Amino acid sequence: MFRSRSKEEQSAKAADAKVTADQPQQPRHPEAPKGRPTPKRSEAAAQRRSLASTPANRKEATKRQREARRADMARQREALANGDERFLPVRDKGPVRRYARDFVDSRFTVMEFFLPLAVAILVLSMFNRGTFQQYVLLAWMVVILVIVVNSVILAVGLRKGLKERFAGENTRGAVPYALMRSLQMRRLRLPKPKVARGEKP
């Protein structure tokens, strides 16, 4: 009888909540408003697809990431073979890099034979026959000198072409990219060459 009014109100609210919980929930009348708009069929389908594509756990998410990465790598390999710009790696994308590739592929350079020449000189250096070693060393020095001169000529010509065609644009990294490509044999270059020798890029 000496309880405060607030305690009595709390007891009454708890009793009402218990009675409400014990009573079964009455079904909504079919014509009663739902309190929210009915979603369109396309929105409902998109929501179902979103729920279906959501990974259930971390293992499933990792598996999907691995599959997506594998699919991206497959598309990149195919793009490197056929030159599809959409799926090329970042280092090969863009008109500047394409021009650099075409500039190298349209020219005959000694640099593309660097690897076979280096292997041949290495094999010849194994024959220790007096003055023969001196000729091998001389041949190696000549190859290095020719490659350096060829690289300088290629770099100067490429820089000139880039300034004429892409004036005011960012061409950073195009010259080293072209020099690295020129050191590869033509048939082994990726992306595959799109211009013939002597053709204007």
Side-chain angles (χ1 to χ4, degrees), residues 10-26:
Q10 291 178 1
S11 300
K13 288 181 180 179
D16 291 342
K18 183 176 181 182
V19 172
T20 304
D22 292 340
Q23 291 177 353
Q25 186 177 6
Q26 301 213 355

Side-chain angles (χ1 to χ4, degrees), residues 91-93 96-98 100-101 104 173-182 190-191:
R91 72 173 188 275
D92 299 310
K93 280 186 177 180
V96 174
R97 296 302 172 95
R98 183 170 63 250
R101 290 196 300 271
V104 172
V175 174
Y177 174 78
L179 292 176
M180 290 299 297
R181 184 175 179 85
S182 66
L190 292 174

Side-chain angles (χ1 to χ4, degrees), residues 12-200:
K13 288 181 180 179
D16 291 342
K18 183 176 181 182
V19 172
T20 304
D22 292 340
Q23 291 177 353
Q25 186 177 6
Q26 301 213 355
R28 183 179 63 84
H29 192 274
E31 296 182 1
K34 294 183 294 185
R36 58 181 174 82
T38 302
K40 295 180 180 179
R41 181 176 297 179
S42 59
E43 294 176 355
Q47 186 175 7
R48 286 196 299 270
R49 284 196 299 269
S50 177
L51 291 174
S53 62
T54 304
N57 49 43
R58 183 177 296 179
K59 184 177 180 181
E60 181 69 19
T62 304
K63 181 181 178 182
R64 291 191 183 185
Q65 289 177 358
R66 193 183 305 115
E67 291 175 354
R69 197 180 306 114
R70 193 178 296 117
D72 289 341
M73 293 298 294
R75 282 197 297 266
Q76 284 187 7
R77 283 194 297 269
E78 187 177 353
L80 288 171
N82 58 28
D84 191 348
E85 285 278 345
R86 296 174 300 169
F87 304 114
L88 284 175
V90 177
R91 72 173 188 275
D92 299 310
K93 280 186 177 180
V96 174
R97 296 302 172 95
R98 183 170 63 250
Y99 176 79
R101 290 196 300 271
D102 293 343
F103 189 90
V104 172
D105 297 335
S106 63
R107 285 161 173 73
F108 178 85
T109 61
V110 181
M111 300 162 65
E112 63 185 282
F113 300 104
F114 170 74
L115 186 58
L117 288 172
V119 173
I121 292 174
L122 179 63
V123 172
L124 292 174
S125 65
M126 296 179 181
F127 297 96
N128 190 8
R129 295 183 179 177
T131 56
F132 183 73
Q133 285 291 326
Q134 297 178 1
Y135 292 118
V136 172
L137 180 60
L138 180 62
W140 179 245
M141 297 296 292
V142 170
V143 169
I144 295 296
L145 180 62
V146 170
I147 287 176
V148 169
V149 172
N150 201 175
S151 300
V152 172
I153 294 173
L154 182 69
V156 171
L158 179 57
R159 283 198 179 95
K160 183 180 178 181
L162 289 171
K163 286 181 180 179
E164 292 175 355
R165 183 165 299 192
F166 303 99
E169 295 186 32
N170 183 15
T171 59
R172 183 178 181 181
V175 174
Y177 174 78
L179 292 176
M180 290 299 297
R181 184 175 179 85
S182 66
L183 289 172
Q184 301 170 350
M185 298 183 69
R186 183 182 174 86
R187 67 179 63 183
L188 300 178
R189 291 172 183 169
L190 292 174
K192 295 290 185 182
K194 294 294 182 182
V195 296
R197 294 189 192 274
E199 186 177 348
K200 188 175 180 181

